[in-house]
Amino acid sequence: MAHTQSANNASPVLEVKNLRTHFQTRRGELKAVNNVSFSLARGETLGLVGESGSGKSMTCFSILRMIAKPAGKIVGGEVLLDGTDLLKLSEEEIREVRGKGISMILQDPMTSLNPLISVGKQVAEPLHLHQGLSGSSLWDAVREVLALVRIPAPERRLKDYPHQMSGGMRQRIVGAISVSCRPRVLIADEPTTALDVTIQAQFLKLLKDMQKSTGLGMILVTHDLGIVAKNCDRVAVMYAGKIVEIGSVRDIFDRPAHPYTRALLRSLPKLSEKHDRLPSIEGQPPDLLDLPAGCSFQERCPHAMPICRRQEPEQTEIAKEHLARCFLVDEEAEA
Ligand code: SF4
């Protein structure tokens, strides 16, 4: 299988290899993450896109080993953070990695913040736990982090509770907590879904600025290709628990190879065209408990061939660091 390397030649900060996460349900085994591989360089942003249920969030939760037990289980693969396999760490060791090595921003800031604790104390907690700071050095660090996420008058906001802040401000506090211990990787799972468009753009710019000043690698999970085009270096397109195409933003937007990627791009609204209804992708994703033999996209694919119903396509390299899982790619390469 070809490798899904990060775009620049620097050694990757994160490598995910053949990751597989399954859930036991009453109806059988559900393959939520099915052989996912990619890497992430320092300072790079990788967009993870796909419809709901495609495995984007499950991939991220698997990286941090935050899978609901006992139903969910990581059944195979490696997650290498600077060469250390996180899947082999003890519970205590992985707790150290969360926040300090890799941190995560979730879509709804209210579910990430405790409504009963002041924001200052919530920002202080990881700095105390992971960096052992206390007293005045702890509060200096809290003020520094709040300034990094551009909270106006941070000194005055330390005693505020989450409900006293706007949605955009709360999301910045979540951002502050996530980067407070200078993680090497930040996973942002639909971080702007709960925000209005202007605040959304401001928060994404803030994440990019933080990335520039700290050099962290970022995985941006979204279903919004517009956000990907503006904020990512590379894109991985997920479908039915697999990465079906991965490449630079330019490759994916200018030369999409997989029929699913092309369909996603067609569903993007264009300012120059008038639509009564936004185009959507015909059909439904397959039932993950009852995946068809062969390619998972076959029922929705306008190009499906007999081989697609018999055999699962392997990942094929189309150009340097641009890969897709589709027999059409193989055919075009042979033509
Ligand atoms: Fe379509 Fe076949 Fe390619 Fe799957 S492998 S996306 S069914 S052409």
Side-chain angles (χ1 to χ4, degrees), residues 48-123:
L48 215 49
V49 300
E51 292 163 291
S52 300
S54 59
K56 310 182 297 284
S57 296
M58 274 306 148
T59 299
C60 298
F61 286 125
S62 302
I63 289 171
L64 281 166
R65 284 180 37 196
M66 287 162 59
I67 297 295
K69 287 178 190 161
K73 196 169 177 204
I74 299 169
V75 295
E78 290 173 294
V79 175
L80 305 170
L81 178 67
D82 279 327
T84 300
D85 189 353
L86 303 186
L87 303 187
K88 296 207 170 103
L89 299 183
S90 66
E91 280 302 321
E92 196 179 324
E93 287 167 330
I94 190 71
R95 267 201 298 276
E96 271 286 292
V97 169
R98 292 182 198 131
K100 204 171 168 188
I102 303 180
S103 68
M104 193 162 178
I105 299 179
L106 299 172
Q107 40 179 280
D108 182 357
M110 276 321 255
T111 58
S112 312
L113 294 174
N114 186 330
L116 303 175
I117 300 179
S118 69
V119 294
K121 280 193 183 152
Q122 296 193 56
V123 176

Side-chain angles (χ1 to χ4, degrees), residues 21 32 39 59 80-81 86 92 96 182 267 272 274 291 330:
T21 302
S39 62
T59 299
L80 305 170
L81 178 67
L86 303 186
E92 196 179 324
E96 271 286 292
R182 309 276 163 174
S267 68
S272 56
K274 249 184 149 186
L291 284 171
D330 298 341

Side-chain angles (χ1 to χ4, degrees), residues 182-239:
R182 309 276 163 174
R184 284 164 274 169
V185 174
L186 176 67
I187 298 173
D189 187 359
E190 304 272 6
T192 56
T193 308
L195 307 176
D196 72 43
V197 178
T198 317
I199 307 288
Q200 200 178 78
Q202 282 173 3
F203 187 68
L204 288 167
K205 164 123 187 11
L206 182 78
L207 287 183
K208 292 302 283 179
D209 290 348
M210 287 196 305
Q211 187 181 36
K212 258 190 221 144
S213 62
T214 58
L216 52 73
M218 186 152 72
I219 298 175
L220 185 58
V221 179
T222 178
H223 58 272
D224 187 333
L225 284 167
I227 286 180
V228 168
K230 281 203 199 98
N231 297 282
C232 298
D233 302 300
R234 285 188 309 136
V235 193
V237 181
M238 289 200 72
Y239 190 78

Side-chain angles (χ1 to χ4, degrees), residues 268-335:
L268 258 184
K270 292 190 182 60
L271 284 176
S272 56
E273 291 170 15
K274 249 184 149 186
H275 294 285
D276 293 330
R277 277 178 52 202
L278 287 178
S280 59
I281 304 175
E282 296 245 323
Q284 295 294 323
D287 180 353
L288 293 180
L289 285 164
D290 189 20
L291 284 171
C295 173
S296 305
F297 192 58
Q298 58 185 266
E299 292 306 327
R300 302 168 86 185
C301 180
H303 309 285
M305 304 169 276
I307 189 175
C308 310
R309 303 194 188 281
R310 289 196 308 271
Q311 205 175 310
E312 211 182 305
E314 286 288 318
Q315 208 163 39
T316 304
E317 188 155 31
I318 306 152
K320 195 165 180 279
E321 287 153 10
H322 181 191
L323 302 104
R325 280 179 191 273
C326 175
F327 290 117
L328 283 180
V329 174
D330 298 341
E331 284 204 339
E332 280 162 21
E334 279 164 22

Side-chain angles (χ1 to χ4, degrees), residues 17-186:
K17 295 183 179 176
N18 306 319
L19 184 63
R20 291 184 295 128
T21 302
H22 295 180
F23 284 81
Q24 295 304 328
T25 74
R26 267 191 236 147
R27 286 179 52 217
E29 191 174 56
L30 186 149
K31 294 176 178 169
V33 180
N34 197 352
N35 239 341
V36 164
S37 301
F38 64 86
S39 62
L40 179 75
R42 266 163 251 283
E44 181 185 41
T45 303
L46 174 73
L48 215 49
V49 300
E51 292 163 291
S52 300
S54 59
K56 310 182 297 284
S57 296
M58 274 306 148
T59 299
C60 298
F61 286 125
S62 302
I63 289 171
L64 281 166
R65 284 180 37 196
M66 287 162 59
I67 297 295
K69 287 178 190 161
K73 196 169 177 204
I74 299 169
V75 295
E78 290 173 294
V79 175
L80 305 170
L81 178 67
D82 279 327
T84 300
D85 189 353
L86 303 186
L87 303 187
K88 296 207 170 103
L89 299 183
S90 66
E91 280 302 321
E92 196 179 324
E93 287 167 330
I94 190 71
R95 267 201 298 276
E96 271 286 292
V97 169
R98 292 182 198 131
K100 204 171 168 188
I102 303 180
S103 68
M104 193 162 178
I105 299 179
L106 299 172
Q107 40 179 280
D108 182 357
M110 276 321 255
T111 58
S112 312
L113 294 174
N114 186 330
L116 303 175
I117 300 179
S118 69
V119 294
K121 280 193 183 152
Q122 296 193 56
V123 176
E125 193 189 352
L127 287 162
H128 175 65
L129 275 179
H130 291 305
Q131 302 201 334
L133 297 177
S134 58
S136 61
S137 51
L138 173 63
W139 292 102
D140 285 348
V142 171
R143 277 187 284 273
E144 198 182 306
V145 176
L146 290 182
L148 182 72
V149 295
R150 299 194 200 121
I151 297 286
E155 188 69 47
R156 278 198 281 124
R157 307 309 298 255
L158 289 177
K159 292 200 171 89
D160 282 359
Y161 288 85
H163 73 271
Q164 293 172 291
M165 298 184 139
S166 66
M169 206 64 91
R170 284 197 291 261
Q171 193 59 308
R172 285 184 198 202
I173 296 293
V174 172
I177 293 169
S178 307
V179 297
S180 58
C181 295
R182 309 276 163 174
R184 284 164 274 169
V185 174
L186 176 67

